[in-house]
Structure formats: structure tokens, C-alpha cells
Amino acid sequence: MSAIIEVENLTKKFKDFTAVNGITFSVEQSDIFAFLGPNGAGKTTTIKMLTTLLKPTSGTIKINGFDPMIDKDAVRKSFGIVFQDPSLDDELTAWENMEFHGVLYHVPKELRRKRIDELLEIVELNDRRNNLVKQFSGGMKRRLEIARGLLHHPKVLFLDEPTIGLDPQTRNHLWQYVIDLNKEEGITVFLTTHYMEEAEKVARKIAIIDHGNIVAQGSAEVLREQTKSDSLENAFLALTGKAIRDEDASGIDAMRQRHRMWTKR
Amino acid sequence: MNVVYILWLRQLKRTFRSKSRVIGSLGQPLLFLFALGFGFGPIYAKANAGANYMDVIAPGVMAMGILFTAVFSGIEIIWDRQFGFLKETLVAPTSRMNIMIGRTLGGATIASIQGIIIFCFTFIAGFRPTSYMMLPVALLIVFLIAVLFTALGTAIASVLSDFQGFQLVMNFLVMPLFFLSGALFPLQNLPTVLAIIVRIDPLSYGVDGLRGALIPPAHLGLPLDLTVLGAITLLLLIIGSYLFSRIEA
Ligand SMILES: Nc1ncnc2c1ncn2[C@@H]1O[C@H](COP(=O)(O)OP(=O)(O)OP(=O)(O)O)[C@@H](O)[C@H]1O
Ligand SMILES: [Mg+2]
């Protein structure tokens, strides 16, 4: 087994604010890797750098052997992504959004049409396929977004909080689908989530990031033992502290929080 | 090829689904056509031994409609960025050049249709081309103007991160491009300074080319018009692609 994602000393600074601070990790091929951390920890920023959307300040990245800054197209051919923020075209129908994506990713027509049907069925949007996306509820949009991300089967699938705003039924369905995809096609999955039970259930390896630093890595079991906790959630809290959420949040934390409120992304 | 087509199609679907946008963008050119066309008509005829002001303004408002629609289509990238859709196209395993071409052709098609619709309205206002043989050339010029300014819009949108700069672009770029192009006045006998400025404005060559094709002769000459339009279009496509390929999300 070789690493399909290799990250070394990756740093991203926005002006003088360090969002990601020299992180190093790797993900084995066909693994399911969870990247966990409090709000503003730097998860989305890391994913953006891995997916060619953002230029790192320093450090190296290899996705499927390619550098996202140099072999952009080779990297883009290697992954699929479900973004944390909305990225659908509201003026198109659900089906048109899927079709657009399929063409953009060069999925052959027959396979494309077949998968679109299949996926719209799974996220229960088949009867709404010809409605404009702007008429959808938040959860429906989210479901469509996920279906779209699964349309082409890449080597690596990035899922940035795919389950926010979804009901438990859909969440279960989704994770089952992802696990199957990983088993059957060996797709590597890189996910972030704030639901610890999901991470515990789905991921084989977990990295915990806080204030731009990776504070622990390993399987859920390892993290529980390391912190002498009875659940991943408690391990997470032990590792990342309760700052921001309790009264002795440090000045820095308060500043970060304010900073976050004023920056949209 | 498929990618270019789907991007082109998306642009068209979006536009024709919002009827208000299509109709809304016709308003201004038609207002100019009818108000100025009939308002200045009599004076212009008296001062120019019976010449028809419609011959000046009809090609002018066609160019105007194309200009505004094209720049707008190009600038739509800001919307896509704001609503997040841009990310979806930016991470796709497709060269950004193809994305740029698809978008530009889509915007240019819409702007060209706009130009043709306005052309039909100039008939109602009493405008008649000298010869219908030259209509294909007029169509070519319509399309060149459309591509040129869609590419310009795209290039600008690639460096603007939000709507704030948009007003600036409208007031300090698009409006001057329009008013200084000779869309509303003939290019003959201009004061020297204005004559020079007019020759810097790429839209002038579009307006002049349209006049050359519809009611010859052209003042600057059709060959020059076509060459300048073609060259600037190519240049803007290259610059636009470059700027577009550097977008971060
Ligand atoms: N474009 C930007 N300009 C300035 N600061 C930014 C920008 N993007 C992100 N940040 C900052 O970087 C930090 C990390 O943000 P990021 O989106 O990576 O967090 P996250 O771990 O994904 O959080 P969440 O769980 O809330 O999604 C935040 O403090 C954020 O304000
Ligand atoms: Mg995030």
C-alpha cells in the first residue's frame, strides 16, 4: 500500500493570520481518512490547497503522485469533491446540474445517464429532477450536491462536511454508499465532519487539527486510548480543549472568533 | 468539445429562463434609438442637407446593445463566484482555456442575438440598409463585437472578487466605451482630440464596421475595422484566459 495523499509542512497564511501551520500527514490508497477539528481549525483551507483551489504559502503536497501547484490538470483528474459551501447552479434543474458535472468530468454518456438516475434515486430527488434548484430546500440542495460529487468515480474523494443539514436517514444512506464505493472501487476518501459518531463509524484513520496544527493522528481506538477517553467525542474534546465554548477562552481565541465572523469563507 | 458545448448551453439556458433580463437589457438601446433617433432627426437633416440621423444611430444602438450584454455576460463570473458555482468549474479536470472559450461563446451568442433583435427594431424606426448582400458581413461584425466585449468582461471579472468593483467598471469603462465610440455621432469632421480618442476605443471599429456593412461607405474602412476587431478580440481572449486561469477560490 502506498500513500495517495502526502502532505509535508503545509502552511497557509492569509496576510499575517496563519490558518494552516506546517501540517504533515499522509493517506494510504483506499483508506478512509477523517480530518476533524473545531470551527476555523483549517480543515477547509487544507482541502482547498489539496484540490488546486488555493496556493499554499509553503510546504509540499502530492496527490496521486502529482503536485497541485505544478500538475494542476493531473491532480484535478484524480479527485472528486463535495464542498462545504453551496456550489450548485440555482438556475438549472437538478438533472441539468448532474449532466453538466458529468460532461465536465468526461463521464461517457451512457454511464453518465445511468449513474445520474441511480444517484438521484439514492438521494431521493428523482421525482424533482426537472425542478430548478432554486426551488429546493436546504437539505435537498445538499443531497443533490452529494449526488453530483459521486457521479464520477475518482481516485480520491474529498467530502467537506457532507452531512451538514441532512436528516439521519439520508446520513446513513450516504455513508453506506461511501463505504461501498470505497470497498468496491478502492476509492480513497478524505472527509471532515463535526459528527464524531460518523467519523468513528466510517473512518479508519483520523487526524485532529486545531488552530492550524495537527494535534493527534491514528485510529479512533488509538485516540481514545491516548486520551483515556470512552468515546471519540471525549477524545476530541480532550485534545482540542473547550476554549471558544467556555468562559476562559483566551484572548487569541476571542480574536480568532471575531476574525472568523468577519470573513465569509 | 463537449465541455465547450455544455458551458455554452448553460449560459443560454440561464439567460433565456429569465425573461426579465432579456427584455430589460433591450430597454436602454431602444430608448436611445427612438428618443434620440426621432428627437435629433429633424435638426440633423437640416444641418446635413437632408441626411438621415437613423443611419447614424441605428448601427450605434446595435453596438450599444451588444456591448452591454457582452460585458455583462462576461462579468457574470462574479455571480458564479458569489453563489459558489465557480468552484465546481474550477476543480474540473478540464483546461481553463476550454472553460473560458465555452463561457465566452455563450455570452457572445446571447449578445449577438441581442444585436439582431435590435436590428429588427431599427426597421420599425425606419432604418433601411443600403444593400442586403452585406448582411453576412454585418453579422460577422456583430459577432466579433460580442466576443471582444465578453472576453473583456471575463478578464475584468477574473480580477474583481465581488460586486463592489462592478459599478466602477460600468461608469469608468463601459459608459465611456459607448459614448466615445461614435455610436451616437458620425465620425466625419470631429475635433482632433475626439477623433484620436475615438480611434483608441475598440467599439468605434465595431460601429464603423456596422455602418460600412449596412450603409456604406465606412469612415475608417471595413478592412481596418475587421482587422482591429479581430486582433483585439484575440488579445483579450489570451489575457482573459490567463487571468481566468489564475483565479483562486
Ligand atoms: N480567504 C480567507 N481570507 C482570510 N482568512 C481566511 C480565508 N479563508 C479562511 N480563513 C481563515 O482561516 C481559518 C480556517 O478556516 P477554515 O475554513 O479552513 O476552517 P474549517 O476548519 O474548515 O472550519 P469549519 O469547521 O467552520 O468549516 C479561519 O480562521 C478563517 O477565518
Ligand atoms: Mg470548513
Side-chain angles (χ1 to χ4, degrees), chain A residues 76 89 91 96 101, chain B residues 10 13-14 17 88 96:
Chain A
R76 289 184 187 135
D89 187 340
E91 306 276 338
E96 283 167 346
H101 181 91
Chain B
R10 163 173 183 259
K13 279 186 174 163
R14 281 173 64 89
R17 269 179 198 162
E88 154 82 356
R96 296 208 176 166

Side-chain angles (χ1 to χ4, degrees), chain B:
Chain B
M1 208 49 234
N2 261 339
V3 171
V4 173
Y5 169 72
I6 199 95
L7 278 152
W8 175 85
L9 190 65
R10 163 173 183 259
Q11 212 80 351
L12 261 69
K13 279 186 174 163
R14 281 173 64 89
T15 308
F16 292 110
R17 269 179 198 162
S18 76
K19 302 267 179 306
S20 60
R21 236 169 73 188
V22 179
I23 297 168
S25 54
L26 277 173
Q28 224 171 15
L30 293 185
L31 191 65
F32 272 80
L33 176 69
F34 286 99
L36 296 188
F38 291 119
F40 283 139
I43 310 176
Y44 187 82
K46 218 174 252 172
N48 288 286
N52 191 352
Y53 185 56
M54 258 316 150
D55 290 350
V56 173
I57 201 175
V61 292
M62 278 174 73
M64 174 192 189
I66 302 166
L67 166 75
F68 279 73
T69 311
V71 172
F72 239 81
S73 301
I75 275 193
E76 230 184 1
I77 292 181
I78 304 180
W79 269 254
D80 280 357
R81 189 201 288 263
Q82 210 84 353
F83 292 112
F85 183 75
L86 189 66
K87 292 194 294 271
E88 154 82 356
T89 42
L90 290 186
V91 296
T94 307
S95 80
R96 296 208 176 166
M97 184 77 183
N98 275 348
I99 296 176
M100 166 89 183
I101 291 174
R103 288 195 78 104
T104 307
L105 287 180
T109 305
I110 295 159
S112 300
I113 294 173
Q114 183 89 354
I116 294 167
I117 295 176
I118 296 172
F119 179 65
C120 298
F121 273 99
T122 62
F123 267 71
I124 301 177
F127 174 71
R128 295 286 178 275
T130 314
S131 148
Y132 290 89
M133 297 298 289
M134 291 288 278
L135 277 188
V137 179
L139 201 62
L140 173 69
I141 292 168
V142 162
F143 190 67
L144 275 177
I145 303 174
V147 178
L148 193 159
F149 288 104
T150 310
L152 179 68
T154 312
I156 292 170
S158 303
V159 291
L160 293 180
S161 52
D162 49 32
F163 296 109
Q164 261 122 50
F166 182 67
Q167 204 58 32
L168 212 68
V169 172
M170 285 315 279
N171 288 331
F172 289 97
L173 187 75
V174 179
M175 283 301 178
L177 276 174
F178 164 57
F179 280 108
L180 298 171
S181 69
L184 301 177
F185 49 81
L187 297 180
Q188 283 85 359
N189 309 323
L190 292 178
T192 319
V193 176
L194 187 55
I196 293 170
I197 294 176
V198 161
R199 278 165 183 270
I200 297 172
D201 182 346
L203 188 63
S204 308
Y205 299 87
V207 173
D208 192 61
L210 284 177
R211 291 202 184 116
L214 297 172
I215 40 151
H219 179 67
L220 302 167
L222 259 182
L224 179 68
D225 293 333
L226 283 169
T227 313
V228 172
L229 284 177
I232 296 181
T233 303
L234 203 64
L235 187 71
L236 282 176
L237 276 176
I238 293 168
I239 296 175
S241 299
Y242 171 72
L243 292 175
F244 186 71
S245 73
R246 290 179 1 136
I247 293 185
E248 289 196 339

